[in-house]
Amino acid sequence: MPDTTLARAAATRTEHFDVVIVGAGISGIGGAYHLTHQMPDRSFVILETQESFGGTWLTHKYPGIRSDSDLHTFGYRFKAWKGKPIATAHEIKTYMGEVIEENDLARHIRYRHRIESASWSSKDNLWTLEGVRTDTGEAVRFTANFLWMCQGYYRHSVGYTPEWKDMETFKGRIVHPQTWPEDLDYTGKKIVVIGSGATAATIIPAMADKADHVTMLQRTPTYFIPGRNAIELAETLRQLEVDEEWIHEIVRRKILHDQSVFTRRSFEESDKVRAELLAGVRAHVGPDFPMEPHFTPSYRPWQQRIAFVPEGDLFKAVRSGKASVETDEIDRFVPEGILLKSGKVLEADIIVTATGFNLSVMGDIAFAVDGKPVDFADTVTYRGMMFTGVPNMIWVFGYFRASWTLRADLVGDFVCRLLDHMDKHQARKVEVALRPEDKDMALLPWIDPENFNPGYLMRGMHLLPKRGDKPEWQHTQDYWNEKNVFPAIDLKDKAFVYG
């Protein structure tokens, strides 16, 4: 029988664009805005696997889903955020929808388009993308001069759940926040949430009112910052009837200044910062709560992401008795719940595995350059957005200690400046390469584990590009430096090879 997949692909019409943006999440919509306003004559399309825009804020539907970054900095620099700093997924999607409508971006987006391969031809100086429409099964093909990867960093289809012993014996239901079932009724149920990060801190207070009881089971505790879901400066400026665009810019600058100071102090005065963070939690859980072991991490502040807890709702749930914390390790699952290594059994009707992401490098797309498969682990990154040996492509990977969107905006400006530079010099191809002075440079893992070490990165480090020991050959995670460095990147530097 003929290979119908090949036959269908052979008959597929090819569409060409100057730029293909992969992903209609926060980075992709931002990239489309920058192209529209900085390079209005450039043709482009956004290819999105999901049925709508939003990325994380579309995929995740667990109770209480909200940002863990303030929207004054997680929001785009070009559109004022007027609501509370910590926002729900619905509020964030509404904001993104306004950006799409106000800038006529909807006509550029193709939903339910899953890209399966991306191949670069040096002969044609083109990317060819092969994919499928998930609603019809129809094969699709696009060619592009430039590829802008805005698909994020984790696999949307399934979250990370460790394989614990005897999971199959549990008589209740096991769910992961990333694939939350619509039919899950937890009213009056005993719930165990495994995890201690921002997702667990969101789910637990959201479920506590309807559930019989919610237990947060953690192997190690996490740092949190509880506080009002409001920015006092923004409230004052609104009382003074200052224009919202001005408020947005002023408040962004104030938050970024404060974050810069806090980040520096977390390295230089880690013991003081640690004491301040623990005192903030203590004020909410009360003087008699056992901070050790439940809310006293062993690592330095900012070695992993710190979640803001609006109104201290997680700690209020614990103090009220509707929620509790267990700090222990899992021995195995049992029919009635989880047996801990201490010998205690946590009874549960529902177990929520808030245990993190599966890292996805470049959206699990099969990349090739001139017929040779690309293993990104064999490449070296240029400022965390370009890779040696991979022409005409940019990847958006945001910040750990600041809002993702801050870097998406910086990269958006850089892409437009790079494309304009190529036009002026009649270049159809650009890639990065180590310069003569870089040949003996030490090549290191993508991120220094002593600097930042969340589980999803540690599990997937072998998949990520290498970094060098010079700032231009690494993702420094330092917005406060990059906001000045990126606009000043010398496009004539020998690291850029044009053709």
mmCIF file of all heavy atoms in Angstrom, residues 407-445:
data_model
loop_
_atom_site.group_PDB
_atom_site.id
_atom_site.type_symbol
_atom_site.label_atom_id
_atom_site.label_comp_id
_atom_site.label_asym_id
_atom_site.label_seq_id
_atom_site.Cartn_x
_atom_site.Cartn_y
_atom_site.Cartn_z
ATOM 1 N N ARG A 407 12.319 39.766 29.359
ATOM 2 C CA ARG A 407 13.289 39.310 28.362
ATOM 3 C C ARG A 407 12.642 39.163 26.991
ATOM 4 O O ARG A 407 13.282 39.387 25.967
ATOM 5 C CB ARG A 407 13.927 37.988 28.794
ATOM 6 C CG ARG A 407 15.213 37.681 28.019
ATOM 7 C CD ARG A 407 16.022 36.597 28.699
ATOM 8 N NE ARG A 407 17.433 36.763 28.475
ATOM 9 C CZ ARG A 407 18.116 36.130 27.514
ATOM 10 N NH1 ARG A 407 17.497 35.311 26.695
ATOM 11 N NH2 ARG A 407 19.405 36.325 27.367
ATOM 12 N N ALA A 408 11.367 38.763 26.966
ATOM 13 C CA ALA A 408 10.670 38.654 25.681
ATOM 14 C C ALA A 408 10.674 40.003 24.960
ATOM 15 O O ALA A 408 10.856 40.065 23.738
ATOM 16 C CB ALA A 408 9.236 38.158 25.893
ATOM 17 N N ASP A 409 10.484 41.082 25.701
ATOM 18 C CA ASP A 409 10.523 42.417 25.098
ATOM 19 C C ASP A 409 11.932 42.766 24.613
ATOM 20 O O ASP A 409 12.114 43.319 23.518
ATOM 21 C CB ASP A 409 10.049 43.469 26.099
ATOM 22 C CG ASP A 409 8.525 43.610 26.141
ATOM 23 O OD1 ASP A 409 7.867 43.270 25.141
ATOM 24 O OD2 ASP A 409 8.009 44.065 27.169
ATOM 25 N N LEU A 410 12.958 42.446 25.419
ATOM 26 C CA LEU A 410 14.339 42.721 25.005
ATOM 27 C C LEU A 410 14.697 41.942 23.741
ATOM 28 O O LEU A 410 15.309 42.482 22.806
ATOM 29 C CB LEU A 410 15.315 42.338 26.123
ATOM 30 C CG LEU A 410 15.370 43.225 27.361
ATOM 31 C CD1 LEU A 410 16.372 42.653 28.366
ATOM 32 C CD2 LEU A 410 15.751 44.658 27.006
ATOM 33 N N VAL A 411 14.317 40.666 23.711
ATOM 34 C CA VAL A 411 14.614 39.836 22.541
ATOM 35 C C VAL A 411 13.845 40.340 21.327
ATOM 36 O O VAL A 411 14.365 40.343 20.199
ATOM 37 C CB VAL A 411 14.290 38.355 22.825
ATOM 38 C CG1 VAL A 411 14.423 37.515 21.556
ATOM 39 C CG2 VAL A 411 15.221 37.809 23.912
ATOM 40 N N GLY A 412 12.595 40.801 21.541
ATOM 41 C CA GLY A 412 11.812 41.346 20.431
ATOM 42 C C GLY A 412 12.507 42.520 19.763
ATOM 43 O O GLY A 412 12.585 42.602 18.525
ATOM 44 N N ASP A 413 13.040 43.433 20.566
ATOM 45 C CA ASP A 413 13.792 44.562 20.009
ATOM 46 C C ASP A 413 15.025 44.074 19.259
ATOM 47 O O ASP A 413 15.356 44.580 18.172
ATOM 48 C CB ASP A 413 14.231 45.507 21.129
ATOM 49 C CG ASP A 413 13.078 46.283 21.733
ATOM 50 O OD1 ASP A 413 12.040 46.440 21.061
ATOM 51 O OD2 ASP A 413 13.214 46.733 22.882
ATOM 52 N N PHE A 414 15.712 43.088 19.833
ATOM 53 C CA PHE A 414 16.930 42.579 19.206
ATOM 54 C C PHE A 414 16.624 41.933 17.858
ATOM 55 O O PHE A 414 17.350 42.158 16.879
ATOM 56 C CB PHE A 414 17.629 41.576 20.118
ATOM 57 C CG PHE A 414 18.827 40.939 19.492
ATOM 58 C CD1 PHE A 414 20.039 41.612 19.436
ATOM 59 C CD2 PHE A 414 18.744 39.675 18.913
ATOM 60 C CE1 PHE A 414 21.152 41.035 18.834
ATOM 61 C CE2 PHE A 414 19.845 39.093 18.308
ATOM 62 C CZ PHE A 414 21.049 39.766 18.265
ATOM 63 N N VAL A 415 15.577 41.117 17.781
ATOM 64 C CA VAL A 415 15.226 40.462 16.512
ATOM 65 C C VAL A 415 14.982 41.500 15.434
ATOM 66 O O VAL A 415 15.499 41.391 14.300
ATOM 67 C CB VAL A 415 13.991 39.558 16.681
ATOM 68 C CG1 VAL A 415 13.492 39.084 15.317
ATOM 69 C CG2 VAL A 415 14.315 38.357 17.555
ATOM 70 N N CYS A 416 14.204 42.521 15.760
ATOM 71 C CA CYS A 416 13.893 43.547 14.757
ATOM 72 C C CYS A 416 15.155 44.292 14.330
ATOM 73 O O CYS A 416 15.340 44.595 13.139
ATOM 74 C CB CYS A 416 12.842 44.510 15.304
ATOM 75 S SG CYS A 416 11.220 43.738 15.555
ATOM 76 N N ARG A 417 16.026 44.574 15.272
ATOM 77 C CA ARG A 417 17.279 45.263 14.932
ATOM 78 C C ARG A 417 18.172 44.373 14.081
ATOM 79 O O ARG A 417 18.816 44.839 13.127
ATOM 80 C CB ARG A 417 17.995 45.682 16.226
ATOM 81 C CG ARG A 417 19.181 46.613 16.015
ATOM 82 C CD ARG A 417 19.535 47.358 17.280
ATOM 83 N NE ARG A 417 20.080 46.497 18.320
ATOM 84 C CZ ARG A 417 21.381 46.218 18.465
ATOM 85 N NH1 ARG A 417 22.267 46.723 17.608
ATOM 86 N NH2 ARG A 417 21.802 45.458 19.441
ATOM 87 N N LEU A 418 18.221 43.066 14.389
ATOM 88 C CA LEU A 418 19.023 42.130 13.615
ATOM 89 C C LEU A 418 18.490 42.004 12.188
ATOM 90 O O LEU A 418 19.265 42.034 11.216
ATOM 91 C CB LEU A 418 19.040 40.771 14.299
ATOM 92 C CG LEU A 418 19.799 39.648 13.584
ATOM 93 C CD1 LEU A 418 21.280 39.988 13.452
ATOM 94 C CD2 LEU A 418 19.616 38.316 14.320
ATOM 95 N N LEU A 419 17.178 41.868 12.042
ATOM 96 C CA LEU A 419 16.596 41.743 10.704
ATOM 97 C C LEU A 419 16.837 43.006 9.881
ATOM 98 O O LEU A 419 17.128 42.935 8.675
ATOM 99 C CB LEU A 419 15.099 41.459 10.803
ATOM 100 C CG LEU A 419 14.713 40.090 11.399
ATOM 101 C CD1 LEU A 419 13.193 39.984 11.535
ATOM 102 C CD2 LEU A 419 15.256 38.951 10.559
ATOM 103 N N ASP A 420 16.747 44.155 10.521
ATOM 104 C CA ASP A 420 17.008 45.419 9.814
ATOM 105 C C ASP A 420 18.471 45.505 9.390
ATOM 106 O O ASP A 420 18.789 45.939 8.270
ATOM 107 C CB ASP A 420 16.640 46.591 10.733
ATOM 108 C CG ASP A 420 16.842 47.935 10.062
ATOM 109 O OD1 ASP A 420 16.162 48.196 9.051
ATOM 110 O OD2 ASP A 420 17.671 48.733 10.549
ATOM 111 N N HIS A 421 19.369 45.070 10.276
ATOM 112 C CA HIS A 421 20.799 45.064 9.950
ATOM 113 C C HIS A 421 21.077 44.147 8.757
ATOM 114 O O HIS A 421 21.860 44.504 7.855
ATOM 115 C CB HIS A 421 21.588 44.597 11.183
ATOM 116 C CG HIS A 421 23.064 44.539 10.981
ATOM 117 N ND1 HIS A 421 23.879 45.649 11.083
ATOM 118 C CD2 HIS A 421 23.894 43.491 10.666
ATOM 119 C CE1 HIS A 421 25.134 45.298 10.852
ATOM 120 N NE2 HIS A 421 25.171 43.992 10.600
ATOM 121 N N MET A 422 20.442 42.992 8.716
ATOM 122 C CA MET A 422 20.631 42.064 7.606
ATOM 123 C C MET A 422 20.139 42.679 6.301
ATOM 124 O O MET A 422 20.783 42.542 5.246
ATOM 125 C CB MET A 422 19.911 40.745 7.887
ATOM 126 C CG MET A 422 20.537 39.939 9.025
ATOM 127 S SD MET A 422 19.568 38.491 9.498
ATOM 128 C CE MET A 422 19.810 37.445 8.039
ATOM 129 N N ASP A 423 18.997 43.355 6.371
ATOM 130 C CA ASP A 423 18.469 44.021 5.168
ATOM 131 C C ASP A 423 19.460 45.049 4.630
ATOM 132 O O ASP A 423 19.751 45.108 3.426
ATOM 133 C CB ASP A 423 17.148 44.721 5.493
ATOM 134 C CG ASP A 423 15.975 43.752 5.544
ATOM 135 O OD1 ASP A 423 16.164 42.570 5.197
ATOM 136 O OD2 ASP A 423 14.881 44.180 5.935
ATOM 137 N N LYS A 424 19.993 45.863 5.526
ATOM 138 C CA LYS A 424 20.890 46.940 5.106
ATOM 139 C C LYS A 424 22.174 46.411 4.495
ATOM 140 O O LYS A 424 22.789 47.073 3.651
ATOM 141 C CB LYS A 424 21.200 47.844 6.300
ATOM 142 C CG LYS A 424 20.012 48.702 6.731
ATOM 143 C CD LYS A 424 20.347 49.543 7.953
ATOM 144 C CE LYS A 424 19.160 50.423 8.341
ATOM 145 N NZ LYS A 424 19.430 51.187 9.586
ATOM 146 N N HIS A 425 22.582 45.218 4.896
ATOM 147 C CA HIS A 425 23.825 44.642 4.393
ATOM 148 C C HIS A 425 23.571 43.507 3.417
ATOM 149 O O HIS A 425 24.488 42.739 3.090
ATOM 150 C CB HIS A 425 24.695 44.177 5.560
ATOM 151 C CG HIS A 425 25.196 45.304 6.414
ATOM 152 N ND1 HIS A 425 24.437 45.884 7.415
ATOM 153 C CD2 HIS A 425 26.377 45.973 6.407
ATOM 154 C CE1 HIS A 425 25.129 46.853 7.979
ATOM 155 N NE2 HIS A 425 26.313 46.927 7.395
ATOM 156 N N GLN A 426 22.305 43.385 2.978
ATOM 157 C CA GLN A 426 21.911 42.389 1.965
ATOM 158 C C GLN A 426 22.340 40.981 2.364
ATOM 159 O O GLN A 426 22.788 40.181 1.534
ATOM 160 C CB GLN A 426 22.473 42.765 0.591
ATOM 161 C CG GLN A 426 21.939 44.097 0.071
ATOM 162 C CD GLN A 426 22.470 44.425 -1.310
ATOM 163 O OE1 GLN A 426 23.605 44.109 -1.652
ATOM 164 N NE2 GLN A 426 21.629 45.049 -2.131
ATOM 165 N N ALA A 427 22.203 40.698 3.655
ATOM 166 C CA ALA A 427 22.527 39.361 4.163
ATOM 167 C C ALA A 427 21.246 38.544 4.272
ATOM 168 O O ALA A 427 20.231 39.039 4.766
ATOM 169 C CB ALA A 427 23.192 39.455 5.528
ATOM 170 N N ARG A 428 21.290 37.317 3.828
ATOM 171 C CA ARG A 428 20.129 36.434 3.919
ATOM 172 C C ARG A 428 20.291 35.394 5.018
ATOM 173 O O ARG A 428 19.375 34.639 5.310
ATOM 174 C CB ARG A 428 19.894 35.727 2.584
ATOM 175 C CG ARG A 428 19.490 36.678 1.446
ATOM 176 C CD ARG A 428 19.146 35.897 0.202
ATOM 177 N NE ARG A 428 18.042 34.970 0.441
ATOM 178 C CZ ARG A 428 17.752 33.933 -0.340
ATOM 179 N NH1 ARG A 428 18.504 33.678 -1.401
ATOM 180 N NH2 ARG A 428 16.740 33.144 -0.054
ATOM 181 N N LYS A 429 21.450 35.368 5.625
ATOM 182 C CA LYS A 429 21.740 34.336 6.622
ATOM 183 C C LYS A 429 22.601 34.920 7.730
ATOM 184 O O LYS A 429 23.511 35.714 7.471
ATOM 185 C CB LYS A 429 22.467 33.163 5.950
ATOM 186 C CG LYS A 429 22.967 32.082 6.891
ATOM 187 C CD LYS A 429 23.737 31.030 6.104
ATOM 188 C CE LYS A 429 24.348 29.973 7.007
ATOM 189 N NZ LYS A 429 25.124 28.971 6.237
ATOM 190 N N VAL A 430 22.303 34.536 8.969
ATOM 191 C CA VAL A 430 23.160 34.896 10.093
ATOM 192 C C VAL A 430 23.176 33.725 11.076
ATOM 193 O O VAL A 430 22.153 33.090 11.324
ATOM 194 C CB VAL A 430 22.676 36.180 10.807
ATOM 195 C CG1 VAL A 430 21.273 35.998 11.390
ATOM 196 C CG2 VAL A 430 23.660 36.591 11.903
ATOM 197 N N GLU A 431 24.355 33.427 11.545
ATOM 198 C CA GLU A 431 24.474 32.459 12.633
ATOM 199 C C GLU A 431 25.589 32.919 13.555
ATOM 200 O O GLU A 431 26.390 33.781 13.188
ATOM 201 C CB GLU A 431 24.733 31.044 12.128
ATOM 202 C CG GLU A 431 26.009 30.854 11.344
ATOM 203 C CD GLU A 431 26.154 29.408 10.863
ATOM 204 O OE1 GLU A 431 26.484 28.557 11.705
ATOM 205 O OE2 GLU A 431 25.941 29.158 9.661
ATOM 206 N N VAL A 432 25.605 32.365 14.751
ATOM 207 C CA VAL A 432 26.662 32.733 15.683
ATOM 208 C C VAL A 432 27.732 31.642 15.682
ATOM 209 O O VAL A 432 27.439 30.463 15.461
ATOM 210 C CB VAL A 432 26.112 32.949 17.103
ATOM 211 C CG1 VAL A 432 25.258 34.202 17.160
ATOM 212 C CG2 VAL A 432 25.334 31.741 17.599
ATOM 213 N N ALA A 433 28.974 32.057 15.908
ATOM 214 C CA ALA A 433 30.101 31.125 15.931
ATOM 215 C C ALA A 433 31.118 31.627 16.943
ATOM 216 O O ALA A 433 31.248 32.838 17.177
ATOM 217 C CB ALA A 433 30.741 31.023 14.545
ATOM 218 N N LEU A 434 31.815 30.698 17.555
ATOM 219 C CA LEU A 434 32.866 31.086 18.485
ATOM 220 C C LEU A 434 33.962 31.829 17.743
ATOM 221 O O LEU A 434 34.389 31.422 16.662
ATOM 222 C CB LEU A 434 33.451 29.846 19.173
ATOM 223 C CG LEU A 434 32.486 29.012 20.020
ATOM 224 C CD1 LEU A 434 33.240 27.867 20.688
ATOM 225 C CD2 LEU A 434 31.781 29.861 21.061
ATOM 226 N N ARG A 435 34.409 32.925 18.301
ATOM 227 C CA ARG A 435 35.465 33.741 17.703
ATOM 228 C C ARG A 435 36.836 33.131 18.025
ATOM 229 O O ARG A 435 36.928 32.250 18.892
ATOM 230 C CB ARG A 435 35.373 35.164 18.264
ATOM 231 C CG ARG A 435 34.010 35.819 18.044
ATOM 232 C CD ARG A 435 33.766 36.963 19.001
ATOM 233 N NE ARG A 435 33.766 36.518 20.390
ATOM 234 C CZ ARG A 435 33.358 37.266 21.422
ATOM 235 N NH1 ARG A 435 32.923 38.505 21.203
ATOM 236 N NH2 ARG A 435 33.395 36.798 22.650
ATOM 237 N N PRO A 436 37.868 33.573 17.339
ATOM 238 C CA PRO A 436 39.210 33.038 17.647
ATOM 239 C C PRO A 436 39.546 33.132 19.133
ATOM 240 O O PRO A 436 40.129 32.210 19.702
ATOM 241 C CB PRO A 436 40.132 33.917 16.802
ATOM 242 C CG PRO A 436 39.289 34.304 15.626
ATOM 243 C CD PRO A 436 37.898 34.488 16.169
ATOM 244 N N GLU A 437 39.147 34.230 19.768
ATOM 245 C CA GLU A 437 39.468 34.397 21.195
ATOM 246 C C GLU A 437 38.612 33.514 22.103
ATOM 247 O O GLU A 437 38.848 33.440 23.317
ATOM 248 C CB GLU A 437 39.319 35.866 21.619
ATOM 249 C CG GLU A 437 37.923 36.447 21.448
ATOM 250 C CD GLU A 437 37.740 37.177 20.117
ATOM 251 O OE1 GLU A 437 38.356 36.739 19.123
ATOM 252 O OE2 GLU A 437 36.995 38.170 20.103
ATOM 253 N N ASP A 438 37.600 32.833 21.510
ATOM 254 C CA ASP A 438 36.731 31.950 22.296
ATOM 255 C C ASP A 438 37.095 30.476 22.156
ATOM 256 O O ASP A 438 36.478 29.621 22.811
ATOM 257 C CB ASP A 438 35.269 32.118 21.865
ATOM 258 C CG ASP A 438 34.777 33.550 21.975
ATOM 259 O OD1 ASP A 438 35.135 34.213 22.957
ATOM 260 O OD2 ASP A 438 34.039 33.991 21.072
ATOM 261 N N LYS A 439 38.042 30.151 21.312
ATOM 262 C CA LYS A 439 38.295 28.754 20.970
ATOM 263 C C LYS A 439 38.672 27.899 22.181
ATOM 264 O O LYS A 439 38.329 26.730 22.255
ATOM 265 C CB LYS A 439 39.391 28.658 19.900
ATOM 266 C CG LYS A 439 38.978 29.216 18.540
ATOM 267 C CD LYS A 439 37.769 28.479 17.965
ATOM 268 C CE LYS A 439 37.414 28.994 16.572
ATOM 269 N NZ LYS A 439 36.218 28.312 16.039
ATOM 270 N N ASP A 440 39.381 28.471 23.143
ATOM 271 C CA ASP A 440 39.792 27.717 24.322
ATOM 272 C C ASP A 440 38.900 27.981 25.533
ATOM 273 O O ASP A 440 39.231 27.616 26.668
ATOM 274 C CB ASP A 440 41.250 28.057 24.685
ATOM 275 C CG ASP A 440 42.217 27.645 23.587
ATOM 276 O OD1 ASP A 440 41.970 26.606 22.955
ATOM 277 O OD2 ASP A 440 43.207 28.371 23.371
ATOM 278 N N MET A 441 37.764 28.601 25.272
ATOM 279 C CA MET A 441 36.833 28.935 26.353
ATOM 280 C C MET A 441 36.231 27.663 26.959
ATOM 281 O O MET A 441 35.858 26.734 26.243
ATOM 282 C CB MET A 441 35.716 29.820 25.788
ATOM 283 C CG MET A 441 34.642 30.211 26.764
ATOM 284 S SD MET A 441 33.439 31.339 25.982
ATOM 285 C CE MET A 441 32.757 30.262 24.694
ATOM 286 N N ALA A 442 36.149 27.624 28.279
ATOM 287 C CA ALA A 442 35.527 26.480 28.952
ATOM 288 C C ALA A 442 34.038 26.435 28.607
ATOM 289 O O ALA A 442 33.358 27.467 28.594
ATOM 290 C CB ALA A 442 35.705 26.610 30.457
ATOM 291 N N LEU A 443 33.543 25.238 28.290
ATOM 292 C CA LEU A 443 32.129 25.045 28.006
ATOM 293 C C LEU A 443 31.478 24.371 29.203
ATOM 294 O O LEU A 443 31.942 23.335 29.682
ATOM 295 C CB LEU A 443 31.940 24.205 26.732
ATOM 296 C CG LEU A 443 32.476 24.832 25.449
ATOM 297 C CD1 LEU A 443 32.177 23.951 24.250
ATOM 298 C CD2 LEU A 443 31.895 26.240 25.241
ATOM 299 N N LEU A 444 30.384 24.968 29.659
ATOM 300 C CA LEU A 444 29.760 24.593 30.926
ATOM 301 C C LEU A 444 28.281 24.295 30.720
ATOM 302 O O LEU A 444 27.713 24.591 29.663
ATOM 303 C CB LEU A 444 29.929 25.747 31.925
ATOM 304 C CG LEU A 444 31.365 26.241 32.130
ATOM 305 C CD1 LEU A 444 31.369 27.611 32.790
ATOM 306 C CD2 LEU A 444 32.150 25.238 32.941
ATOM 307 N N PRO A 445 27.603 23.718 31.708
ATOM 308 C CA PRO A 445 26.163 23.504 31.591
ATOM 309 C C PRO A 445 25.413 24.823 31.425
ATOM 310 O O PRO A 445 25.906 25.897 31.787
ATOM 311 C CB PRO A 445 25.795 22.821 32.925
ATOM 312 C CG PRO A 445 27.073 22.228 33.414
ATOM 313 C CD PRO A 445 28.159 23.154 32.951
#
